[in-house]
Amino acid sequence: MSAKNDPRAAKEERQVSDRLVLAIAKKEFMEYTRRPWILLLSALFVVLVLGAGWFLSSLPAAEAGNIGFVATIGTIRGVVGLLIPIIAIILAHSAIAGEQESGSLGLLLSHPVRRGEVVLGKFIGLFGVLAGSILLGFGAGAITIAMRADNPEWGDFGRFLVATLLYTAAYLALFLLFSAIANRRTPALLYALGVWAFFGLVFETIMLALILKFGTITDAGVDIPTWIQALNFFSIPNLYDELVVASSTAFREMADRQGGFGSMLPFIGERWAAATVTIALSAWVVLSLALTNLLVGRKDV
Amino acid sequence: MSPARPFLALARRETAEAAPWGAVAALAYLASLVAGGLAGAGADSAPGLGSFPRMVGWSRSPLALTTSLVPALAGALAMRDDARLALLAAQPGLTRARVLLARLIARGLALALGFAVATALAVAAVLVPGGALPLPALVAYLAAHALGILAFVALGALLAASAPQAPAAAAGAFAILVGPLWDTITFAAAFQGPGLEGLRGGAVPTWLLGMQAANPLVAYAGVMITVEPQFRLALEVAALSGPVPWFVAWWVFAGLLAAWILAGVGGAILQDARRARRDE
């Protein structure tokens, strides 16, 4: 009887598949965490958070606000949004293309393992490396800040961490896709840099031009047509910014104080913004991984 | 056959192969400049994209990030010790050092060409609606970027030669270190001293200016901001408004960048030769 008709056999097959995914993820994780430069990248997060805390502690109280998590996040949010895709490029660009170039992808696929399991295992392993660095860096910073702050806003900090991890996953999955599109490391790196430049610079320029052309400046702010607001769903950094602002009242107030536009998706409404943006970022992860799976499945290795 | 001929032929071929790096640089530089131009145009009521210095002034952060990250990665990956390097180095008239030098020159040229294309388009976007293009500002901008690109290609190569197992990670970490992380740390250090009000008033300690000059990304910015006031960010306006030490001059920053280029290329080639000898 085939595993398709026998529930016990199907369950065993699933367990074997899960074990294979975890084994590949572990291999990927161990491979990267052994490299000293990767550990240095993790240390950058620690220095960044502690540096921001030190910076805030030197400001006059009126300018720094409460030297807690919200103020620290306000200081580092832009830099974190910039650092994560750069580190994700460094980690993910060679994950598939590098193995294909060296021939080890063919060796891996000669084992009884599905290509989808390889893609998922690689993604989980790489995400583990980057998520570990983020949690370690922000955790060390959080402890230092919590010791100084009168009333540490743990809930806001937790929501920021979740949003950052989702942002990380979205970029990693996308760069993994471009690693699968390329057959060698250098083109994979160039594609990833092109994507980073597109999202970080070109997309912003297009949005700014569209807002200047079609938006209306009122006393309350800028009135942006719904179709322009909806374009934000095509930008991972914009979705991240939206998720950070939507996930907490304190962040929304901070964005207002800093003179930003506030929510970039006002047509959704405050109530549903966090859930909608979380689904949109998750869709980026799922779609990128599905396409990567499709491409790796078609590779002739 | 003259020994220069195989080298020139190789450099030409490597430049053609480095074209995708130029394309990425052109995309990133053009987007940075247009974004800056649009932001500047939105910030005040001047028509069109206004003046070139204002466009560059509003684009400073993305320009600096592109000038550090993309060339550092290009330089780092040029040092890859692959079969092609060994094959080329075995050709008559070529050595490992010459092949690597050709690769680094080719990548530097491709990136500079990408930057030049982006700048030409941005300049046209300023001039067509009748915007201003002061010549000293343009020369300082071009010189800063040409030297900055070459310095980061050289430093990326040096880092890759020192960390051959993870060249991209080394170059990426370096770009982060001299960029966003450096700003956070130096601002924090400066605020502990004269404080925000002191810095806003232009009271920048000499040690801080000296420390800043050691960073190649600050030296790159220094070439521009010492020539054209409109290129300056808020705290730089205050810092350069009063008397400054002798070393805060465009020629010092340009000299520092030239030194980084020589040290980077020389160090990378020496490190590679040492490794090749060890592997033999």
Side-chain angles (χ1 to χ4, degrees), chain A residues 37 44 54 58 63 83 189 196, chain B residues 77 163 176 181 191-192 196:
Chain A
W37 281 98
L44 293 181
W54 188 32
S58 63
E63 299 214 31
L83 285 189
L189 181 65
W196 164 77
Chain B
L77 294 190
I176 293 168
L181 205 65
F191 280 32
Q192 302 288 335
L196 182 60

Side-chain angles (χ1 to χ4, degrees), chain A:
Chain A
M1 193 160 59
S2 73
K4 209 173 171 183
N5 299 326
D6 181 0
R8 226 176 97 183
K11 192 181 168 193
E12 274 175 18
E13 200 175 284
R14 254 199 324 273
Q15 282 172 343
V16 170
S17 175
D18 289 349
R19 272 203 298 274
L20 282 169
V21 169
L22 286 178
I24 295 166
K26 190 180 167 193
K27 173 215 154 233
E28 206 71 19
F29 184 84
M30 298 304 287
E31 210 171 281
Y32 278 99
T33 46
R34 273 193 213 114
R35 296 180 186 172
W37 281 98
I38 300 297
L39 292 175
L40 176 71
L41 285 174
S42 312
L44 293 181
F45 280 110
V46 182
V47 177
L48 179 70
V49 178
L50 294 180
W54 188 32
F55 165 74
L56 283 169
S57 68
S58 63
L59 285 179
E63 299 214 31
N66 176 23
I67 303 166
F69 292 137
V70 172
T72 307
I73 289 163
T75 309
I76 62 170
R77 197 181 67 172
V79 182
V80 169
L82 199 72
L83 285 189
I84 284 173
I86 295 174
I87 301 175
I89 287 175
I90 293 165
L91 285 178
H93 82 275
S94 63
I96 293 169
E99 289 219 16
Q100 191 177 353
E101 194 178 351
S102 67
S104 56
L105 186 64
L107 193 69
L108 182 63
L109 292 174
S110 67
H111 289 89
V113 55
R114 289 196 199 104
R115 295 187 182 210
E117 289 162 353
V118 172
V119 171
L120 194 59
K122 280 188 172 291
F123 172 74
I124 293 171
L126 291 173
F127 181 70
V129 174
L130 198 39
S133 314
I134 292 168
L135 292 174
L136 192 75
F138 285 5
I143 292 166
T144 316
I145 293 165
M147 288 190 311
R148 300 178 60 125
D150 299 333
N151 180 25
E153 312 95 330
W154 286 105
D156 292 321
F157 187 70
R159 279 187 283 273
F160 173 72
L161 265 187
V162 171
T164 304
L165 291 177
L166 196 52
Y167 174 64
T168 305
Y171 258 127
L172 263 183
L174 188 65
F175 293 143
L176 209 55
L177 169 64
F178 282 91
S179 183
I181 291 172
N183 292 327
R184 288 183 298 126
R185 267 176 291 193
T186 304
L189 181 65
L190 285 165
Y191 293 159
L193 281 172
V195 170
W196 164 77
F198 176 79
F199 279 135
L201 304 168
V202 179
F203 193 89
E204 286 305 297
T205 309
I206 296 169
M207 289 297 282
L208 195 58
L210 289 174
I211 291 168
L212 288 172
K213 174 88 180 152
F214 298 104
T216 317
I217 296 171
T218 62
D219 290 341
V222 185
D223 191 13
I224 305 169
T226 307
W227 66 271
I228 297 180
Q229 292 177 38
L231 289 177
N232 284 304
F233 284 111
F234 294 100
S235 163
I236 295 174
N238 288 10
L239 284 174
Y240 170 61
D241 278 344
E242 186 65 29
L243 185 56
V244 171
V245 171
S247 61
S248 127
T249 315
F251 294 145
R252 264 197 301 279
E253 286 169 2
M254 179 182 71
D256 289 341
R257 271 203 310 275
Q258 290 174 345
F261 287 119
S263 171
M264 286 178 285
L265 297 163
F267 78 100
I268 296 173
E270 267 183 28
R271 193 174 163 198
W272 297 105
T276 311
V277 177
T278 303
I279 292 168
L281 272 174
S282 307
W284 271 98
V285 178
V286 173
L287 276 176
S288 300
L289 288 179
L291 284 171
T292 309
N293 184 27
L294 202 72
L295 284 171
V296 172
R298 286 182 181 173
K299 271 191 189 291
D300 182 20
V301 287

Side-chain angles (χ1 to χ4, degrees), chain B residues 204-225:
Chain B
V204 185
T206 306
W207 65 264
L208 180 65
L209 290 170
M211 193 174 94
Q212 291 281 61
N215 179 339
L217 199 59
V218 177
Y220 141 84
V223 175
M224 289 192 286
I225 63 172

Side-chain angles (χ1 to χ4, degrees), chain B residues 32-211:
Chain B
S32 305
L33 287 166
V34 176
L38 286 171
D44 60 35
S45 56
L49 292 176
S51 74
F52 181 74
R54 195 178 59 187
M55 175 191 255
V56 175
W58 279 89
S59 313
R60 279 278 305 281
S61 297
L63 283 175
L65 188 62
T66 306
T67 303
S68 56
L69 183 66
V70 181
L73 287 172
L77 294 190
M79 298 299 290
R80 184 171 290 160
D81 191 5
D82 50 16
R84 195 164 163 267
L85 171 62
L87 196 69
L88 286 168
Q91 301 297 310
L94 292 175
T95 58
R96 276 181 78 91
R98 291 184 134 222
V99 174
L100 290 176
L101 190 62
R103 276 189 187 175
L104 293 177
I105 292 171
R107 300 225 170 167
L109 278 178
L111 290 166
L113 202 64
F115 160 74
V117 169
T119 301
L121 291 171
V123 165
V126 168
L127 287 182
V128 168
L133 181 70
L135 198 60
L138 181 66
V139 171
Y141 164 83
L142 291 175
H145 281 86
L147 287 169
I149 286 169
L150 293 177
F152 276 95
V153 167
L155 290 167
L158 177 60
L159 286 163
S162 312
Q165 297 302 315
F174 179 66
I176 293 168
L177 195 72
V178 296
L181 205 65
W182 181 271
D183 289 345
T184 307
I185 294 167
T186 51
F187 275 129
F191 280 32
Q192 302 288 335
L196 182 60
E197 288 312 313
L199 288 177
R200 278 177 182 161
V204 185
T206 306
W207 65 264
L208 180 65
L209 290 170
M211 193 174 94

